[in-house]
Structures are given as structure tokens and as C-alpha cells.
Amino acid sequence: METCDDPDVLLEIVHYEVDGWGVGDLRLLDGAVLMHERPRLGTGWQPQGDHPLVERFRAHLAGERVAYDDVELMLDGFTPLQLALIEALRTIPWGETVSYGELSALAGAPRAPRAAGAFCASSPFALILPCHRVVASVGIGGYGSDGVVTKRRLLALEGVHL
């Protein structure tokens, strides 16, 4: 785990490994999640440090039903629409999916499905915000740089097969 030199700010960086998934990155600022990248093979990161949230990630990626509603996120700099999308994403239950249009409607912006898709593709809170549960109205849709194979794998853990 790395920390910041400023005694007034606690920055934690944890690289953690999950069998069969690779190494992920969790960054916290004063206890709130600043960003999280899902574990991937070939990142070049070496596992170091630990955090209680990592155990939830491991359980999730082993197929256990995990919720992240209580996880505090660092939300400085997000637009009002992005904040609404974050809140809407947190309401999508384990094992269920919504379309990008449904997500944008849940966020109070029914004419913004492309914005919802763009946000999901670049979300800094992998797993914590279940962007993998947001699908196209016809088909699975994309999943940012992780690709459709990873999205299908995450959905399959929750019993969803598209």
C-alpha cells in the first residue's frame, strides 16, 4: 500500500490479486474510493497492501452476492447528470439488467441514453457501480476497454446470460 506524504490527506493505493481475474487497483482518499479498476491479467502491477473492500471484490468475482451501497465514493468533479447516473446505477439489483435508456430515465434524463453509455464505459468505480448490468436495448452493448467477454463473464456470475 502506498500513502501520500501530506499528513492531512490519507491516500491509499492497493493493488490486489483475484484468482482467475488478475490484479486490480483500488485508490482511496481519506477513506472514500477515489477510483477502482477491476482485476485484469497482464496489468504489470504487483499485489501489495490490503483493504476490507478487497475481500468484497474477491467474493463478488467468486460469484457471491455482494452489495456496495455503503461504500463511500469520492464524487468531486462529477456533473449533476453523472451524479444522478451514479445514484441510479446503485439501485440496479444483483442479477438484473437495465438498458442504457432505462438507466438514463432512472437518472431523470430519459433523453440521455448515450450519455449513460459513455459514463458506464469510463466509470472510475468498476464493480462498485454495476455498469456491467447496463445493456443495449438489442443485445449486450459494450463494456469500455474490458470488452463484451468480460461483461458477459460478470453477468454470468450473477446468473444473467445474454
Side-chain angles (χ1 to χ4, degrees):
M1 174 174 65
E2 298 174 38
T3 58
C4 178
D5 291 333
D6 184 339
D8 296 329
V9 176
L10 179 58
L11 174 67
E12 297 176 75
I13 301 173
V14 179
H15 294 141
Y16 62 95
E17 189 165 20
V18 179
D19 288 340
W21 288 88
V23 180
D25 184 40
L26 173 64
R27 295 174 188 236
L28 301 107
L29 186 62
D30 289 333
V33 176
L34 184 60
M35 62 83 60
H36 166 246
E37 285 195 36
R38 185 193 56 72
R40 297 175 193 182
L41 298 171
T43 62
W45 295 321
Q46 295 300 314
Q48 60 182 18
D50 202 15
H51 188 274
L53 193 51
V54 168
E55 290 310 312
R56 284 204 242 179
F57 297 153
R58 287 186 179 121
H60 183 157
L61 295 171
E64 293 179 36
R65 184 180 295 254
V66 175
Y68 300 103
D69 327 13
D70 62 324
V71 175
E72 183 183 355
L73 305 175
M74 182 60 66
L75 298 174
D76 296 349
F78 286 89
T79 68
L81 176 57
Q82 290 170 330
L83 293 171
L85 289 166
I86 288 167
E87 289 305 311
L89 280 161
R90 286 186 144 191
T91 69
I92 304 170
W94 179 274
E96 294 186 25
T97 61
V98 300
S99 70
Y100 295 104
E102 290 168 328
L103 176 63
S104 65
L106 287 169
R111 295 178 183 234
R114 287 185 186 196
F119 178 78
C120 287
S122 63
S123 170
F125 305 115
L127 296 181
I128 297 169
L129 296 181
C131 292
H132 62 280
R133 296 180 191 149
V134 185
V135 298
S137 57
V138 182
I140 193 164
Y143 194 58
S145 63
D146 286 347
V148 173
V149 171
T150 299
K151 187 172 188 173
R152 284 188 198 283
R153 187 175 178 198
L154 289 168
L155 288 171
L157 288 173
E158 299 181 24
V160 177
H161 302 280
L162 296 176

